[in-house]
């Protein structure tokens, strides 16, 4: 009789331990949410949401040259009004830094002169819109909606970081 009681107690302890092991992550997550312990407060996006701007198809642009690309390409549009050659070169290098995802991005150079670089489309403002800022960069999704807007002060490494993150969370 004594061994039966010990066996039952042992089984109860095992069941209690299994219950604790499987409920601990839920209790931990609830505590993190309730008391904001261990929840990162940092911002991951360096650009700002561009929900106030019109769709790309409604931009007042005069197309100069077309880039080869498919329907599923994101567009990196940039206003090339100051230090244009340097800006084009650094954004072209950023595009190459995407590696195997480079085919998912096309660049739209607005206001640039000369020959289009690979993966680039040249355009001009038909009439500069009121929301335009010199040397800004906009990341546009395949449907023409603006995802992020980057002022000229944002380093290209941060634009690359945001682009890679968007490609990661928006798999083909």
């Amino acid at each position: 009789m004594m061994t039966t009681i010990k066996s039952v107690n042992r089984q109860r302890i095992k069941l209690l331990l299994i219950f604790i092991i499987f409920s601990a992550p839920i209790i931990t997550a609830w505590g993190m949410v309730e008391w904001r312990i261990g929840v990162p407060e940092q911002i991951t996006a360096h650009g700002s949401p561009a929900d106030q701007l019109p769709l790309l198809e409604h931009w007042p642009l005069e197309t100069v040259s077309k880039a080869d690309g498919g329907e599923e390409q994101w567009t990196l549009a940039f206003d090339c009004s100051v230090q244009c050659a340097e800006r084009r070169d650094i954004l072209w290098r950023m595009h190459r830094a995407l590696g195997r995802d480079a085919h998912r991005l096309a660049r739209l150079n607005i206001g640039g002169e000369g020959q289009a670089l690979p993966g680039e489309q040249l355009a001009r403002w038909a009439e500069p819109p009121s929301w335009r800022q010199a040397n800004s960069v906009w990341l546009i999704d395949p449907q023409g909606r603006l995802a992020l807007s980057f002022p000229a002060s944002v380093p290209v490494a941060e634009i690359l970081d945001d682009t890679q993150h968007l490609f990661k969370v928006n798999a083909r």
Side-chain angles (χ1 to χ4, degrees):
M1 174 108 170
M2 190 66 153
T3 57
T4 308
I5 294 174
K6 285 183 181 179
S7 176
V8 169
N9 285 341
R10 194 172 310 152
Q11 296 301 324
R12 287 181 182 164
I13 290 172
K14 285 181 183 178
L15 182 62
L16 182 63
L17 287 174
I18 289 173
F19 179 74
I20 290 171
I21 288 171
F22 284 104
S23 63
I26 296 169
I27 293 169
T28 303
W30 176 80
M32 289 175 70
V33 169
E34 267 314 296
W35 297 303
R36 306 296 296 163
I37 298 171
V39 178
E41 297 290 331
Q42 64 191 11
I43 297 172
T44 56
H46 301 92
S48 58
D51 52 357
Q52 304 295 326
L53 300 181
L55 294 173
L56 179 61
E57 64 189 34
H58 299 298
W59 286 18
L61 295 175
E62 295 175 358
T63 303
V64 177
S65 70
K66 287 274 188 195
D68 296 330
E71 292 285 318
E72 294 301 314
Q73 280 192 318
W74 289 69
T75 304
L76 186 73
F78 57 100
D79 183 79
C80 198
S81 55
V82 180
Q83 298 174 335
C84 191
E86 179 183 327
R87 189 78 165 163
R88 284 178 74 188
D89 182 58
I90 200 160
L91 289 173
W92 179 80
R93 291 174 191 272
M94 185 218 82
H95 189 176
R96 296 294 101 201
L98 288 171
R100 68 173 187 238
D101 283 331
H103 71 279
R104 295 181 66 190
L105 183 72
R107 292 181 324 282
L108 175 62
N109 178 354
I110 305 171
E113 300 286 325
Q115 293 282 75
L117 296 173
E120 183 177 62
Q121 178 180 349
L122 298 178
R124 287 192 202 97
W125 293 113
E127 179 180 319
S130 60
W131 47 263
R132 171 191 172 235
Q133 294 177 352
N135 279 355
S136 288
V137 176
W138 302 278
L139 189 59
I140 304 162
D141 75 4
Q143 287 77 37
R145 298 180 304 235
L146 270 76
L148 293 173
S149 175
F150 303 94
S153 61
V154 175
V156 174
E158 293 179 358
I159 297 172
L160 174 63
D161 184 44
D162 284 357
T163 305
Q164 288 173 326
H165 179 72
L166 281 173
F167 283 1
K168 182 180 176 184
V169 297
N170 292 293
R172 295 174 201 82

